[in-house]
Amino acid sequence: DLGIEKTVTEIWYSILLSQATYECLRTSLEELTSFMSAQNLQLKTAGLISVDEMQFKQLQDAWKTWLGLRVQGTKWIQKQREDVTNSNIEFVARNSGYIENVPVEHVSAVKKWIDDCVFKRTQAPRFAENPTFTGVDVAARNAHYSYCIPPGLFPFSSWDYLQVKKFKDSNCLVTMYGDYIECILRRLMKILSKQQVSFRIVLCDCMDIKQYLEVNTVYDRILTSNLMDYVFLPNLLKLCSQIINQDNHHTTIITETILWARDIMPEGDIPWPSNKSQLPKFEKIAFEDTKRSSFAMDGGTSFREYLDNSCDFFNYLRAMFYAYRLKRVGESGSTHDKPTIPVIKELGNEFQLRLRDGIRNENRIVFFRPAINRRRVTIVSGMERYLEWIPIQKK
């Protein structure tokens, strides 16, 4: 469908939709809700999409609700967004800080999106509000659908600003990001047309996922987002190691953490006393590096660019694997085997995995530690760490 990528982008990111975009969304929802079973969906998509029957019904409930919402010519979703955004001082301050720190040429575009949440990619998107911006808390499934996008999330924070800028440079971020995203979608559609991929949609606890996967299917790439902030990393790796393709030396499991210092290792962040004492030095470096006084005075995020907390981070990883070994010994009932704290090169070995050394630039898919101050549009916190785990090669 010519131009469908613009329609999809508008549905993803704009609270207001053009008539053509809304009609496309409505038609798609009508078709999705008309399927009698998950098998119908799989057949209709020529095997492209599969989903468990019970979970398909859960998805259909959401699609039916969106389809039934009155959104043409209304303003109730916009009003709810405005109320949510302005009711919390923290969100207001966060938006102000974001505006202050993005490159000057993008300020007006950011302000406009914060004000109206319109990501215009087709003709004037004023025909209907976007029903997919609504939802309900899982704990209150019988409640009415309402605006559900967490405040402080921006369409520009989901993509690497440096990659976007390399592709298309413009003062208008909607233009930059829209063109970039739509290029990726066009490439994806070419892949889909060649039937090179298929999608299995699963709604469950990630640790229960194996029961929903095809038997004997293995994977060359597993991306886990920042699940390790919520799931014990050794347990997550154990699960992933059971479904990866051990025979492909390019096979990679990617794990990500954002909260490691906040929740477990405060020694690794700026507020820790020994780090805080370096603030004057960091302030000087930040200003020399960025020529932006707002960066030099923010007291935290900018300075993480220059804080060497690699020892703290790797001690955090080693401690988790030590705890895993300790638990295993306890479960075995042994009173003689005392586990040792693993060295870095031993991490993951229990699962026939090896950690690529991000400090030495061994990562091949994603940066171990993305730069902060060049990516202020992306909103990098400075605590992100990306780990690549690969199978230990058989000799």
Coordinates of all heavy atoms in Angstrom, one line a residue, residues 243-321:
I243 N 17.2 -21.5 24.3 CA 16.5 -21.4 23.0 C 17.3 -20.7 21.9 O 16.8 -20.2 20.9 CB 15.1 -20.6 23.2 CG1 15.3 -19.3 23.9 CG2 14.2 -21.5 24.0 CD1 14.1 -18.5 24.1
I244 N 18.6 -20.5 22.2 CA 19.4 -19.9 21.1 C 20.1 -20.9 20.3 O 20.2 -22.1 20.6 CB 20.5 -19.0 21.8 CG1 21.5 -19.8 22.7 CG2 19.9 -17.8 22.5 CD1 22.7 -19.0 23.1
N245 N 20.5 -20.5 19.1 CA 21.2 -21.4 18.2 C 22.7 -21.4 18.5 O 23.5 -20.6 18.2 CB 21.0 -20.8 16.7 CG 21.6 -21.7 15.7 OD1 22.2 -22.7 16.0 ND2 21.5 -21.3 14.4
Q246 N 23.0 -22.5 19.2 CA 24.4 -22.7 19.7 C 25.4 -22.9 18.6 O 26.6 -22.7 18.8 CB 24.5 -23.8 20.7 CG 23.7 -23.6 22.0 CD 24.4 -22.8 23.0 OE1 25.5 -22.4 22.8 NE2 23.7 -22.5 24.1
D247 N 24.9 -23.3 17.4 CA 25.8 -23.6 16.3 C 26.2 -22.4 15.5 O 27.0 -22.5 14.6 CB 25.1 -24.7 15.4 CG 24.9 -26.0 16.2 OD1 25.8 -26.3 17.0 OD2 23.9 -26.7 15.9
N248 N 25.5 -21.3 15.7 CA 25.8 -20.1 14.9 C 26.7 -19.2 15.8 O 26.3 -18.7 16.8 CB 24.5 -19.4 14.6 CG 24.7 -18.1 13.7 OD1 25.9 -17.7 13.5 ND2 23.7 -17.5 13.3
H249 N 27.9 -18.9 15.3 CA 28.9 -18.2 16.1 C 28.5 -16.7 16.1 O 29.1 -15.9 16.8 CB 30.3 -18.4 15.7 CG 30.6 -17.8 14.3 ND1 30.3 -18.5 13.1 CD2 31.1 -16.7 13.9 CE1 30.7 -17.8 12.1 NE2 31.2 -16.7 12.5
H250 N 27.5 -16.3 15.3 CA 27.0 -14.9 15.4 C 25.8 -14.7 16.3 O 25.3 -13.6 16.5 CB 26.6 -14.4 14.0 CG 27.7 -14.3 13.0 ND1 28.8 -13.4 13.2 CD2 28.0 -15.0 11.9 CE1 29.6 -13.6 12.2 NE2 29.2 -14.5 11.4
T251 N 25.3 -15.9 16.9 CA 24.2 -15.8 17.8 C 24.5 -14.9 19.0 O 25.6 -14.9 19.6 CB 23.9 -17.2 18.3 OG1 23.4 -18.0 17.2 CG2 22.9 -17.2 19.4
T252 N 23.6 -14.0 19.4 CA 23.8 -13.1 20.4 C 22.5 -12.9 21.3 O 21.4 -12.7 20.7 CB 24.2 -11.7 19.9 OG1 25.3 -11.9 18.9 CG2 24.7 -10.8 21.0
I253 N 22.7 -12.8 22.6 CA 21.7 -12.4 23.5 C 22.1 -11.0 24.0 O 23.2 -10.8 24.4 CB 21.6 -13.4 24.7 CG1 21.3 -14.8 24.2 CG2 20.5 -12.9 25.7 CD1 21.5 -15.8 25.3
I254 N 21.1 -10.1 23.9 CA 21.4 -8.7 24.4 C 20.6 -8.4 25.6 O 19.4 -8.5 25.6 CB 21.1 -7.7 23.3 CG1 22.0 -8.0 22.0 CG2 21.4 -6.3 23.8 CD1 21.7 -7.1 20.8
T255 N 21.3 -8.1 26.7 CA 20.6 -7.6 27.9 C 20.9 -6.2 28.2 O 22.0 -5.7 27.8 CB 20.9 -8.5 29.1 OG1 22.4 -8.4 29.3 CG2 20.5 -9.9 28.9
E256 N 20.0 -5.5 28.8 CA 20.2 -4.0 29.0 C 19.8 -3.7 30.5 O 18.8 -4.3 31.0 CB 19.3 -3.3 28.1 CG 19.2 -1.8 28.3 CD 18.1 -1.1 27.5 OE1 17.5 -1.7 26.7 OE2 17.9 0.1 27.8
T257 N 20.5 -2.8 31.1 CA 20.1 -2.3 32.4 C 20.1 -0.8 32.4 O 21.0 -0.2 31.8 CB 21.0 -2.9 33.5 OG1 20.6 -2.3 34.8 CG2 22.5 -2.6 33.3
I258 N 19.2 -0.3 33.1 CA 19.1 1.2 33.3 C 19.2 1.5 34.8 O 19.7 2.5 35.2 CB 17.8 1.8 32.7 CG1 17.7 1.4 31.2 CG2 17.7 3.3 32.9 CD1 16.4 1.8 30.6
L259 N 18.6 0.6 35.6 CA 18.4 0.9 37.0 C 19.5 0.3 38.0 O 19.3 0.3 39.2 CB 17.0 0.4 37.4 CG 15.9 0.8 36.6 CD1 14.6 0.2 37.1 CD2 15.7 2.3 36.5
W260 N 20.6 -0.2 37.4 CA 21.5 -1.0 38.3 C 22.1 -0.1 39.4 O 22.2 -0.6 40.5 CB 22.7 -1.5 37.4 CG 23.5 -0.5 36.8 CD1 23.3 0.2 35.6 CD2 24.8 0.0 37.2 NE1 24.3 1.1 35.3 CE2 25.2 1.0 36.3 CE3 25.5 -0.2 38.4 CZ2 26.4 1.7 36.5 CZ3 26.7 0.5 38.5 CH2 27.2 1.4 37.6
A261 N 22.4 1.2 39.1 CA 23.0 2.0 40.2 C 21.9 2.5 41.1 O 22.1 2.6 42.4 CB 23.7 3.2 39.6
R262 N 20.7 2.8 40.6 CA 19.7 3.4 41.4 C 19.2 2.4 42.4 O 18.9 2.7 43.6 CB 18.5 3.8 40.5 CG 17.4 4.6 41.3 CD 16.1 4.7 40.5 NE 15.4 3.4 40.6 CZ 14.2 3.2 40.0 NH1 13.6 4.2 39.3 NH2 13.6 2.0 40.1
D263 N 19.0 1.1 42.0 CA 18.4 0.1 42.9 C 19.4 -0.8 43.6 O 19.1 -1.2 44.7 CB 17.5 -0.8 42.0 CG 16.3 -0.1 41.5 OD1 16.0 1.1 41.9 OD2 15.6 -0.7 40.6
I264 N 20.6 -1.0 43.1 CA 21.5 -1.9 43.7 C 22.8 -1.3 44.1 O 23.4 -1.6 45.2 CB 21.7 -3.1 42.7 CG1 20.4 -3.7 42.3 CG2 22.6 -4.2 43.4 CD1 19.6 -4.4 43.4
M265 N 23.4 -0.5 43.2 CA 24.8 -0.1 43.4 C 24.9 1.5 43.4 O 25.3 2.0 42.4 CB 25.7 -0.6 42.3 CG 26.0 -2.1 42.4 SD 27.1 -2.6 43.7 CE 28.7 -2.0 43.0
P266 N 24.4 2.1 44.4 CA 24.5 3.6 44.4 C 25.9 4.1 44.3 O 26.1 5.3 43.9 CB 23.9 3.9 45.8 CG 24.0 2.7 46.6 CD 23.9 1.6 45.7
E267 N 26.9 3.3 44.6 CA 28.3 3.7 44.4 C 28.6 4.1 43.0 O 29.6 4.8 42.7 CB 29.3 2.6 44.9 CG 29.1 2.1 46.3 CD 28.2 0.9 46.4 OE1 27.2 0.8 45.7 OE2 28.4 0.0 47.2
G268 N 27.8 3.6 42.1 CA 28.1 3.9 40.6 C 27.5 5.1 40.1 O 27.6 5.4 38.9
D269 N 26.8 6.0 40.9 CA 26.2 7.2 40.4 C 26.7 8.4 41.1 O 27.4 8.4 42.1 CB 24.7 7.1 40.6 CG 23.9 7.9 39.6 OD1 24.5 8.6 38.8 OD2 22.7 7.9 39.7
I270 N 26.4 9.5 40.5 CA 26.9 10.8 40.9 C 26.7 11.1 42.4 O 27.6 11.7 43.1 CB 26.3 12.0 40.0 CG1 26.8 11.8 38.6 CG2 26.6 13.3 40.6 CD1 28.3 12.1 38.4
P271 N 25.5 10.9 43.0 CA 25.3 11.3 44.4 C 26.2 10.6 45.4 O 26.2 11.1 46.6 CB 23.8 10.9 44.6 CG 23.2 10.9 43.3 CD 24.3 10.4 42.4
W272 N 26.8 9.5 45.1 CA 27.7 8.8 46.0 C 28.8 9.8 46.4 O 29.4 10.5 45.6 CB 28.3 7.6 45.4 CG 28.9 6.6 46.4 CD1 30.3 6.4 46.5 CD2 28.3 5.8 47.3 NE1 30.5 5.5 47.5 CE2 29.3 5.1 48.0 CE3 27.0 5.6 47.7 CZ2 29.0 4.2 49.1 CZ3 26.7 4.7 48.7 CH2 27.7 4.0 49.4
P273 N 29.1 9.9 47.7 CA 30.1 10.9 48.2 C 31.4 11.0 47.5 O 31.8 12.1 47.1 CB 30.3 10.5 49.7 CG 29.0 9.8 50.1 CD 28.5 9.1 48.8
S274 N 32.0 9.9 47.2 CA 33.3 10.0 46.5 C 33.2 10.5 45.1 O 34.1 11.1 44.5 CB 34.0 8.6 46.5 OG 33.2 7.6 45.8
N275 N 32.0 10.3 44.5 CA 31.7 10.8 43.1 C 31.3 12.2 43.2 O 31.7 13.0 42.3 CB 30.7 9.9 42.4 CG 31.1 8.5 42.2 OD1 32.3 8.2 42.1 ND2 30.1 7.6 42.2
K276 N 30.5 12.6 44.2 CA 30.0 13.9 44.3 C 31.2 14.9 44.5 O 31.1 16.1 44.1 CB 29.1 14.0 45.5 CG 28.0 15.1 45.4 CD 27.0 14.9 46.4 CE 25.9 16.0 46.3 NZ 24.8 15.8 47.3
S277 N 32.2 14.5 45.1 CA 33.4 15.4 45.3 C 34.0 15.8 44.0 O 34.8 16.7 44.0 CB 34.4 14.7 46.2 OG 35.0 13.5 45.6
Q278 N 33.7 15.1 42.9 CA 34.3 15.4 41.6 C 33.5 16.3 40.8 O 33.8 16.6 39.7 CB 34.5 14.1 40.8 CG 35.4 13.0 41.5 CD 35.6 11.8 40.6 OE1 36.3 11.9 39.6 NE2 35.0 10.7 41.0
L279 N 32.4 16.8 41.4 CA 31.5 17.6 40.6 C 32.1 18.9 40.0 O 31.9 19.2 38.8 CB 30.3 18.0 41.5 CG 29.2 16.9 41.7 CD1 28.1 17.5 42.6 CD2 28.7 16.3 40.5
P280 N 32.9 19.6 40.8 CA 33.6 20.8 40.1 C 34.4 20.4 38.9 O 34.4 21.1 37.9 CB 34.5 21.3 41.3 CG 33.8 20.9 42.5 CD 33.3 19.5 42.2
K281 N 35.1 19.3 39.0 CA 35.9 18.9 37.8 C 35.0 18.5 36.6 O 35.2 18.9 35.5 CB 36.7 17.7 38.2 CG 37.6 17.1 37.0 CD 38.4 15.9 37.4 CE 37.5 14.7 37.6 NZ 38.3 13.4 37.9
F282 N 33.9 17.8 36.9 CA 32.9 17.4 35.9 C 32.3 18.6 35.3 O 32.0 18.6 34.1 CB 31.9 16.4 36.4 CG 32.4 15.1 36.8 CD1 31.8 14.3 37.9 CD2 33.5 14.5 36.2 CE1 32.3 13.1 38.2 CE2 34.0 13.3 36.6 CZ 33.4 12.6 37.6
E283 N 32.0 19.6 36.1 CA 31.3 20.8 35.6 C 32.2 21.5 34.6 O 31.7 21.9 33.5 CB 31.0 21.7 36.8 CG 30.2 22.9 36.4 CD 29.9 23.8 37.6 OE1 29.6 23.2 38.7 OE2 30.1 25.0 37.5
K284 N 33.4 21.6 34.9 CA 34.4 22.2 34.0 C 34.5 21.5 32.7 O 34.5 22.0 31.6 CB 35.7 22.4 34.6 CG 36.8 23.1 33.8 CD 38.1 23.1 34.5 CE 39.2 23.8 33.6 NZ 40.5 23.9 34.3
I285 N 34.6 20.1 32.8 CA 34.8 19.3 31.6 C 33.5 19.4 30.7 O 33.6 19.5 29.5 CB 35.1 17.8 32.0 CG1 36.4 17.7 32.7 CG2 35.1 16.9 30.7 CD1 36.7 16.3 33.3
A286 N 32.3 19.3 31.4 CA 31.1 19.3 30.6 C 30.9 20.6 29.9 O 30.5 20.6 28.7 CB 29.9 19.2 31.6
F287 N 31.3 21.8 30.5 CA 31.2 23.0 29.8 C 32.2 23.1 28.6 O 31.8 23.6 27.5 CB 31.4 24.2 30.7 CG 31.2 25.5 30.1 CD1 29.9 26.0 29.7 CD2 32.3 26.3 29.7 CE1 29.7 27.2 29.1 CE2 32.1 27.6 29.1 CZ 30.8 28.0 28.8
E288 N 33.4 22.7 28.8 CA 34.4 22.7 27.7 C 34.0 21.8 26.6 O 34.2 22.1 25.4 CB 35.8 22.3 28.3 CG 36.4 23.3 29.2 CD 37.7 22.7 29.8 OE1 38.0 21.5 29.7 OE2 38.4 23.5 30.5
D289 N 33.3 20.7 26.9 CA 32.9 19.7 26.0 C 31.7 20.1 25.2 O 31.6 19.9 23.9 CB 32.7 18.4 26.7 CG 32.6 17.2 25.7 OD1 33.1 17.3 24.6 OD2 32.1 16.1 26.1
T290 N 30.7 20.7 25.8 CA 29.4 21.0 25.2 C 29.2 22.5 24.9 O 28.3 22.8 24.0 CB 28.3 20.5 26.1 OG1 28.3 21.3 27.3 CG2 28.4 19.1 26.4
K291 N 29.9 23.3 25.6 CA 29.7 24.8 25.4 C 28.3 25.2 25.8 O 27.7 26.2 25.4 CB 30.0 25.3 24.0 CG 31.4 25.0 23.6 CD 32.5 25.6 24.4 CE 33.9 25.5 23.9 NZ 34.4 24.1 24.0
R292 N 27.6 24.3 26.7 CA 26.3 24.6 27.1 C 26.3 24.7 28.6 O 26.6 23.7 29.3 CB 25.3 23.5 26.7 CG 25.2 23.3 25.2 CD 24.2 24.3 24.6 NE 22.8 24.2 25.1 CZ 21.9 23.4 24.6 NH1 22.2 22.6 23.6 NH2 20.7 23.3 25.1
S293 N 26.0 25.9 29.1 CA 26.0 26.1 30.6 C 24.9 25.2 31.3 O 25.1 24.8 32.4 CB 25.7 27.5 30.9 OG 24.5 28.0 30.4
S294 N 23.8 24.9 30.6 CA 22.7 24.1 31.1 C 23.3 22.7 31.4 O 22.9 22.0 32.4 CB 21.5 24.0 30.2 OG 21.8 23.5 29.0
F295 N 24.1 22.2 30.5 CA 24.7 20.9 30.7 C 25.7 20.9 31.9 O 25.7 20.0 32.7 CB 25.5 20.4 29.5 CG 24.6 20.0 28.3 CD1 23.3 20.3 28.3 CD2 25.2 19.3 27.3 CE1 22.5 20.0 27.2 CE2 24.4 18.9 26.2 CZ 23.0 19.3 26.2
A296 N 26.5 22.0 32.0 CA 27.5 22.0 33.1 C 26.8 22.2 34.4 O 27.5 21.9 35.5 CB 28.4 23.2 32.8
M297 N 25.6 22.7 34.5 CA 25.0 23.0 35.8 C 23.9 22.0 36.1 O 23.2 22.2 37.1 CB 24.4 24.4 35.7 CG 25.4 25.5 35.4 SD 26.7 25.6 36.7 CE 25.7 26.2 38.1
D298 N 23.7 20.9 35.4 CA 22.5 20.0 35.6 C 22.8 19.1 36.8 O 21.9 18.4 37.3 CB 22.1 19.3 34.4 CG 23.0 18.1 34.0 OD1 24.0 17.9 34.7 OD2 22.8 17.5 33.0
G299 N 24.0 19.0 37.3 CA 24.3 18.3 38.5 C 24.2 16.8 38.5 O 24.3 16.1 39.5
G300 N 24.1 16.2 37.3 CA 23.9 14.8 37.3 C 24.1 14.1 35.9 O 25.2 13.6 35.6
T301 N 23.1 14.2 35.1 CA 23.1 13.5 33.8 C 24.3 13.8 32.9 O 25.0 12.9 32.5 CB 21.8 13.8 33.0 OG1 20.7 13.5 33.8 CG2 21.8 13.0 31.7
S302 N 24.6 15.0 32.7 CA 25.8 15.4 31.9 C 27.1 14.8 32.5 O 28.0 14.4 31.7 CB 25.9 16.9 31.8 OG 24.8 17.4 31.1
F303 N 27.2 14.8 33.8 CA 28.4 14.4 34.4 C 28.6 12.9 34.3 O 29.8 12.4 34.4 CB 28.4 14.8 35.9 CG 28.3 16.3 36.1 CD1 28.0 16.8 37.3 CD2 28.5 17.2 35.0 CE1 27.9 18.2 37.5 CE2 28.4 18.6 35.2 CZ 28.1 19.1 36.5
R304 N 27.6 12.1 34.1 CA 27.7 10.7 34.0 C 28.5 10.3 32.8 O 29.1 9.2 32.7 CB 26.4 10.0 33.9 CG 25.6 10.1 35.3 CD 24.2 9.6 35.1 NE 23.4 9.6 36.3 CZ 22.1 9.7 36.4 NH1 21.4 9.7 35.3 NH2 21.5 9.7 37.6
E305 N 28.6 11.3 31.8 CA 29.4 11.0 30.6 C 30.9 10.8 31.0 O 31.6 10.1 30.3 CB 29.3 12.3 29.7 CG 30.0 12.2 28.4 CD 29.1 11.7 27.3 OE1 28.2 12.4 26.9 OE2 29.3 10.6 26.8
Y306 N 31.3 11.4 32.1 CA 32.7 11.5 32.5 C 33.1 10.6 33.7 O 34.2 10.5 34.1 CB 33.2 12.9 32.7 CG 32.6 13.8 31.6 CD1 31.6 14.7 31.9 CD2 33.1 13.8 30.3 CE1 31.0 15.5 30.9 CE2 32.6 14.6 29.4 CZ 31.6 15.5 29.6 OH 31.0 16.3 28.7
L307 N 32.0 10.1 34.3 CA 32.2 9.3 35.6 C 32.7 7.9 35.2 O 32.0 7.2 34.5 CB 30.9 9.2 36.4 CG 31.0 8.4 37.6 CD1 31.9 9.0 38.7 CD2 29.6 8.3 38.2
D308 N 33.8 7.4 35.7 CA 34.3 6.1 35.5 C 33.7 5.2 36.6 O 34.2 5.1 37.7 CB 35.8 6.0 35.5 CG 36.3 4.6 35.2 OD1 35.5 3.7 34.9 OD2 37.6 4.4 35.3
N309 N 32.6 4.5 36.3 CA 32.0 3.6 37.2 C 32.0 2.2 36.7 O 31.2 1.3 37.1 CB 30.6 4.0 37.5 CG 29.7 4.2 36.3 OD1 30.1 3.8 35.2 ND2 28.6 4.9 36.4
S310 N 33.0 1.9 35.9 CA 33.0 0.5 35.3 C 33.3 -0.6 36.3 O 32.7 -1.7 36.3 CB 34.1 0.4 34.2 OG 35.3 0.9 34.6
C311 N 34.1 -0.3 37.3 CA 34.4 -1.3 38.4 C 33.1 -1.5 39.2 O 32.8 -2.7 39.5 CB 35.5 -0.8 39.3 SG 37.1 -0.8 38.6
D312 N 32.4 -0.5 39.5 CA 31.1 -0.7 40.2 C 30.1 -1.5 39.4 O 29.5 -2.4 40.0 CB 30.5 0.7 40.5 CG 31.4 1.6 41.4 OD1 31.9 1.1 42.4 OD2 31.6 2.7 41.0
F313 N 30.1 -1.3 38.1 CA 29.1 -2.0 37.3 C 29.5 -3.5 37.2 O 28.6 -4.4 37.4 CB 29.1 -1.4 35.9 CG 28.1 -2.2 35.0 CD1 26.8 -2.1 35.2 CD2 28.6 -2.9 33.9 CE1 25.9 -2.9 34.3 CE2 27.8 -3.6 33.1 CZ 26.4 -3.6 33.3
F314 N 30.8 -3.8 37.0 CA 31.2 -5.2 36.8 C 31.1 -5.9 38.2 O 30.8 -7.1 38.2 CB 32.5 -5.3 36.2 CG 32.5 -5.0 34.7 CD1 33.2 -3.9 34.2 CD2 31.8 -5.9 33.9 CE1 33.1 -3.7 32.8 CE2 31.8 -5.6 32.5 CZ 32.4 -4.5 32.0
N315 N 31.3 -5.2 39.3 CA 31.1 -5.8 40.6 C 29.6 -6.1 40.8 O 29.3 -7.2 41.4 CB 31.6 -4.8 41.7 CG 33.1 -4.8 41.8 OD1 33.8 -5.7 41.4 ND2 33.6 -3.8 42.4
Y316 N 28.8 -5.3 40.3 CA 27.3 -5.6 40.3 C 27.0 -6.9 39.6 O 26.3 -7.7 40.1 CB 26.6 -4.4 39.7 CG 25.2 -4.6 39.2 CD1 24.1 -4.9 40.1 CD2 24.9 -4.6 37.8 CE1 22.8 -5.1 39.6 CE2 23.6 -4.8 37.4 CZ 22.6 -5.0 38.3 OH 21.3 -5.2 37.8
L317 N 27.6 -7.0 38.4 CA 27.4 -8.3 37.6 C 27.9 -9.5 38.3 O 27.3 -10.5 38.4 CB 28.0 -8.1 36.2 CG 27.4 -7.1 35.3 CD1 28.2 -7.2 33.9 CD2 26.0 -7.3 35.0
R318 N 29.1 -9.3 38.8 CA 29.8 -10.5 39.5 C 29.0 -10.9 40.7 O 28.9 -12.1 41.0 CB 31.2 -10.1 39.9 CG 32.1 -9.8 38.7 CD 33.5 -9.3 39.2 NE 34.2 -10.2 40.0 CZ 35.2 -9.9 40.8 NH1 35.5 -8.6 41.0 NH2 35.8 -10.8 41.5
A319 N 28.5 -9.9 41.5 CA 27.7 -10.2 42.7 C 26.4 -11.0 42.3 O 26.1 -11.9 43.1 CB 27.3 -8.9 43.4
M320 N 25.8 -10.7 41.2 CA 24.6 -11.5 40.8 C 24.9 -12.9 40.5 O 24.2 -13.9 40.9 CB 23.9 -10.8 39.6 CG 23.1 -9.6 39.9 SD 22.0 -9.1 38.6 CE 23.2 -8.4 37.4
F321 N 26.0 -13.2 39.8 CA 26.4 -14.5 39.5 C 26.9 -15.3 40.8 O 26.7 -16.5 40.9 CB 27.5 -14.6 38.4 CG 26.8 -14.4 37.0 CD1 26.7 -13.1 36.5 CD2 26.4 -15.5 36.3 CE1 26.1 -12.9 35.2 CE2 25.8 -15.3 35.1 CZ 25.7 -14.0 34.5

